[in-house]
Amino acid sequence: MASHRRPKQPTRARVTVLTATAAAAVALSAHAASAAPGGPGKDEVKAKVDALYEEAEQATEKANSAKERQEKLEKEISQLQDQVARGQEELNQLRNTLGSMASAQYRTGGMDQSVALFLSGDPETYLEKASTLEQLTGKQVEAVQRIQAKQRSLAQQRQEAAGKLADLDATRKELAEKKKASQDKLAEAQAQLNTLTAQERAQLKDDDSRASRGDGDRADLGNVKVSGRAGAALEAAKTKLGSAYVSGATGPSAFDCSGLTQWAYKQAGVSITRTTYTQQNDGTRIGRSELQPGDLVFFYSDIHHVGLYAGNGIVLHASNPRGGVKYESINNMPFQFGVRI
């Protein structure tokens, strides 16, 4: 009879204990897995993210350069198109003038056949013959020559405009490619950061903030106050400490590296160009030992990063999306040269 009895079910209390024990085991296992030597730690993720930020900034500066070329080409094309429109109007007026001459000639004794051909068919080929011009009156010759000159000028302007339109199309494609490359790198960096816990991400941010404050203190200790444009630019940039880094931004609330330097000098009443590639030519190139607060400082072999020298071996710059506008040691990046505006 005992073999046919139903097995005794565990009590509710025992089920609770077993469940809690299993849950604890799972949590412990997960914690051990996350802490396993093979998993990326905070410092490893930071290194990967910093490398991706650098690649994103390279693409950003190239995008900035392409955008600058695009705006220049659009302006030049607009001017050329206006010139062509005005030139065509002048050409029409010149033809009307010659037509009036021909009409008057017809009324007084018949139109010269050379003029008739010019007005009706393909004048360019016909007027290549010098003998044609000899058959015209002085006023007619002058009018025809002016028309020919205007036709040549219009043809040249149209050809120039067509070339610039082709350049504009290529530049727009390059801009789109560089923007996408930058966005892809930033997305990859964010994915790396998302592998960290919220506490680890907050710790990274705190580490950056403490380092920036410390570097700012060092800059103040060694900073010889500089008057004039450089000093005014540096003081303007200081008001943006903690502002966000955004690719392609030029202020006033967010910046990329060259956007910050351009904005700072604009506040000092000085206009400098938009990208690192052109800002390096906006002043006199100097070595590290010659740097003074407010000078531009350029980094990396391809010159894709720029900041403002703050004094005592410290740079004030729009660093990256994690750090934003902050102070940093000049030794943290491969320094190339300075530029005094």
PDB file of all heavy atoms in Angstrom, residues 145-157:
ATOM      1  N   GLN A 145      31.562  92.012 -83.880  1.00  0.00           N
ATOM      2  CA  GLN A 145      32.712  91.672 -83.049  1.00  0.00           C
ATOM      3  C   GLN A 145      32.332  91.629 -81.567  1.00  0.00           C
ATOM      4  O   GLN A 145      32.789  90.764 -80.818  1.00  0.00           O
ATOM      5  CB  GLN A 145      33.845  92.669 -83.285  1.00  0.00           C
ATOM      6  CG  GLN A 145      34.505  92.512 -84.643  1.00  0.00           C
ATOM      7  CD  GLN A 145      35.529  93.594 -84.924  1.00  0.00           C
ATOM      8  OE1 GLN A 145      35.480  94.687 -84.342  1.00  0.00           O
ATOM      9  NE2 GLN A 145      36.462  93.299 -85.823  1.00  0.00           N
ATOM     10  N   ARG A 146      31.494  92.549 -81.163  1.00  0.00           N
ATOM     11  CA  ARG A 146      31.038  92.551 -79.770  1.00  0.00           C
ATOM     12  C   ARG A 146      30.195  91.303 -79.479  1.00  0.00           C
ATOM     13  O   ARG A 146      30.290  90.712 -78.412  1.00  0.00           O
ATOM     14  CB  ARG A 146      30.233  93.825 -79.486  1.00  0.00           C
ATOM     15  CG  ARG A 146      31.099  95.088 -79.442  1.00  0.00           C
ATOM     16  CD  ARG A 146      30.243  96.330 -79.251  1.00  0.00           C
ATOM     17  NE  ARG A 146      29.556  96.311 -77.962  1.00  0.00           N
ATOM     18  CZ  ARG A 146      28.639  97.207 -77.630  1.00  0.00           C
ATOM     19  NH1 ARG A 146      28.254  98.145 -78.495  1.00  0.00           N
ATOM     20  NH2 ARG A 146      28.073  97.154 -76.431  1.00  0.00           N
ATOM     21  N   ILE A 147      29.378  90.902 -80.434  1.00  0.00           N
ATOM     22  CA  ILE A 147      28.571  89.695 -80.256  1.00  0.00           C
ATOM     23  C   ILE A 147      29.467  88.464 -80.155  1.00  0.00           C
ATOM     24  O   ILE A 147      29.269  87.596 -79.301  1.00  0.00           O
ATOM     25  CB  ILE A 147      27.569  89.545 -81.415  1.00  0.00           C
ATOM     26  CG1 ILE A 147      26.470  90.612 -81.284  1.00  0.00           C
ATOM     27  CG2 ILE A 147      26.937  88.153 -81.428  1.00  0.00           C
ATOM     28  CD1 ILE A 147      25.525  90.661 -82.467  1.00  0.00           C
ATOM     29  N   GLN A 148      30.468  88.398 -81.024  1.00  0.00           N
ATOM     30  CA  GLN A 148      31.389  87.254 -80.976  1.00  0.00           C
ATOM     31  C   GLN A 148      32.109  87.171 -79.629  1.00  0.00           C
ATOM     32  O   GLN A 148      32.237  86.089 -79.052  1.00  0.00           O
ATOM     33  CB  GLN A 148      32.421  87.384 -82.100  1.00  0.00           C
ATOM     34  CG  GLN A 148      31.874  87.091 -83.486  1.00  0.00           C
ATOM     35  CD  GLN A 148      32.953  87.250 -84.536  1.00  0.00           C
ATOM     36  OE1 GLN A 148      33.548  88.333 -84.673  1.00  0.00           O
ATOM     37  NE2 GLN A 148      33.219  86.189 -85.255  1.00  0.00           N
ATOM     38  N   ALA A 149      32.573  88.323 -79.146  1.00  0.00           N
ATOM     39  CA  ALA A 149      33.284  88.344 -77.864  1.00  0.00           C
ATOM     40  C   ALA A 149      32.364  87.900 -76.735  1.00  0.00           C
ATOM     41  O   ALA A 149      32.762  87.134 -75.846  1.00  0.00           O
ATOM     42  CB  ALA A 149      33.830  89.743 -77.590  1.00  0.00           C
ATOM     43  N   LYS A 150      31.124  88.370 -76.775  1.00  0.00           N
ATOM     44  CA  LYS A 150      30.175  87.998 -75.725  1.00  0.00           C
ATOM     45  C   LYS A 150      29.840  86.504 -75.788  1.00  0.00           C
ATOM     46  O   LYS A 150      29.716  85.833 -74.758  1.00  0.00           O
ATOM     47  CB  LYS A 150      28.905  88.839 -75.859  1.00  0.00           C
ATOM     48  CG  LYS A 150      27.842  88.547 -74.818  1.00  0.00           C
ATOM     49  CD  LYS A 150      28.344  88.750 -73.393  1.00  0.00           C
ATOM     50  CE  LYS A 150      28.701  90.186 -73.099  1.00  0.00           C
ATOM     51  NZ  LYS A 150      29.119  90.363 -71.679  1.00  0.00           N
ATOM     52  N   GLN A 151      29.731  85.965 -77.004  1.00  0.00           N
ATOM     53  CA  GLN A 151      29.465  84.532 -77.145  1.00  0.00           C
ATOM     54  C   GLN A 151      30.605  83.696 -76.582  1.00  0.00           C
ATOM     55  O   GLN A 151      30.386  82.686 -75.909  1.00  0.00           O
ATOM     56  CB  GLN A 151      29.237  84.196 -78.620  1.00  0.00           C
ATOM     57  CG  GLN A 151      27.892  84.674 -79.161  1.00  0.00           C
ATOM     58  CD  GLN A 151      27.775  84.496 -80.654  1.00  0.00           C
ATOM     59  OE1 GLN A 151      28.773  84.592 -81.378  1.00  0.00           O
ATOM     60  NE2 GLN A 151      26.573  84.236 -81.133  1.00  0.00           N
ATOM     61  N   ARG A 152      31.842  84.107 -76.845  1.00  0.00           N
ATOM     62  CA  ARG A 152      32.996  83.382 -76.318  1.00  0.00           C
ATOM     63  C   ARG A 152      33.025  83.454 -74.785  1.00  0.00           C
ATOM     64  O   ARG A 152      33.302  82.464 -74.108  1.00  0.00           O
ATOM     65  CB  ARG A 152      34.292  83.943 -76.905  1.00  0.00           C
ATOM     66  CG  ARG A 152      34.545  83.554 -78.355  1.00  0.00           C
ATOM     67  CD  ARG A 152      35.977  83.876 -78.767  1.00  0.00           C
ATOM     68  NE  ARG A 152      36.248  85.308 -78.732  1.00  0.00           N
ATOM     69  CZ  ARG A 152      36.078  86.131 -79.780  1.00  0.00           C
ATOM     70  NH1 ARG A 152      35.615  85.657 -80.937  1.00  0.00           N
ATOM     71  NH2 ARG A 152      36.362  87.404 -79.675  1.00  0.00           N
ATOM     72  N   SER A 153      32.747  84.636 -74.250  1.00  0.00           N
ATOM     73  CA  SER A 153      32.736  84.810 -72.802  1.00  0.00           C
ATOM     74  C   SER A 153      31.666  83.941 -72.141  1.00  0.00           C
ATOM     75  O   SER A 153      31.912  83.281 -71.119  1.00  0.00           O
ATOM     76  CB  SER A 153      32.490  86.280 -72.453  1.00  0.00           C
ATOM     77  OG  SER A 153      32.370  86.459 -71.072  1.00  0.00           O
ATOM     78  N   LEU A 154      30.477  83.910 -72.750  1.00  0.00           N
ATOM     79  CA  LEU A 154      29.397  83.092 -72.203  1.00  0.00           C
ATOM     80  C   LEU A 154      29.742  81.609 -72.251  1.00  0.00           C
ATOM     81  O   LEU A 154      29.459  80.854 -71.306  1.00  0.00           O
ATOM     82  CB  LEU A 154      28.099  83.346 -72.967  1.00  0.00           C
ATOM     83  CG  LEU A 154      27.302  84.593 -72.564  1.00  0.00           C
ATOM     84  CD1 LEU A 154      26.131  84.786 -73.516  1.00  0.00           C
ATOM     85  CD2 LEU A 154      26.805  84.474 -71.129  1.00  0.00           C
ATOM     86  N   ALA A 155      30.334  81.169 -73.334  1.00  0.00           N
ATOM     87  CA  ALA A 155      30.712  79.762 -73.463  1.00  0.00           C
ATOM     88  C   ALA A 155      31.715  79.371 -72.383  1.00  0.00           C
ATOM     89  O   ALA A 155      31.619  78.294 -71.782  1.00  0.00           O
ATOM     90  CB  ALA A 155      31.286  79.497 -74.851  1.00  0.00           C
ATOM     91  N   GLN A 156      32.680  80.261 -72.125  1.00  0.00           N
ATOM     92  CA  GLN A 156      33.685  79.990 -71.103  1.00  0.00           C
ATOM     93  C   GLN A 156      33.053  79.944 -69.711  1.00  0.00           C
ATOM     94  O   GLN A 156      33.372  79.069 -68.902  1.00  0.00           O
ATOM     95  CB  GLN A 156      34.764  81.075 -71.141  1.00  0.00           C
ATOM     96  CG  GLN A 156      35.902  80.848 -70.156  1.00  0.00           C
ATOM     97  CD  GLN A 156      36.989  81.902 -70.279  1.00  0.00           C
ATOM     98  OE1 GLN A 156      36.944  82.760 -71.158  1.00  0.00           O
ATOM     99  NE2 GLN A 156      37.965  81.849 -69.396  1.00  0.00           N
ATOM    100  N   GLN A 157      32.140  80.881 -69.432  1.00  0.00           N
ATOM    101  CA  GLN A 157      31.485  80.908 -68.128  1.00  0.00           C
ATOM    102  C   GLN A 157      30.607  79.668 -67.916  1.00  0.00           C
ATOM    103  O   GLN A 157      30.561  79.109 -66.818  1.00  0.00           O
ATOM    104  CB  GLN A 157      30.646  82.181 -67.993  1.00  0.00           C
ATOM    105  CG  GLN A 157      31.492  83.439 -67.818  1.00  0.00           C
ATOM    106  CD  GLN A 157      30.660  84.707 -67.883  1.00  0.00           C
ATOM    107  OE1 GLN A 157      29.533  84.709 -68.383  1.00  0.00           O
ATOM    108  NE2 GLN A 157      31.212  85.798 -67.374  1.00  0.00           N
TER     109      GLN A 157
END
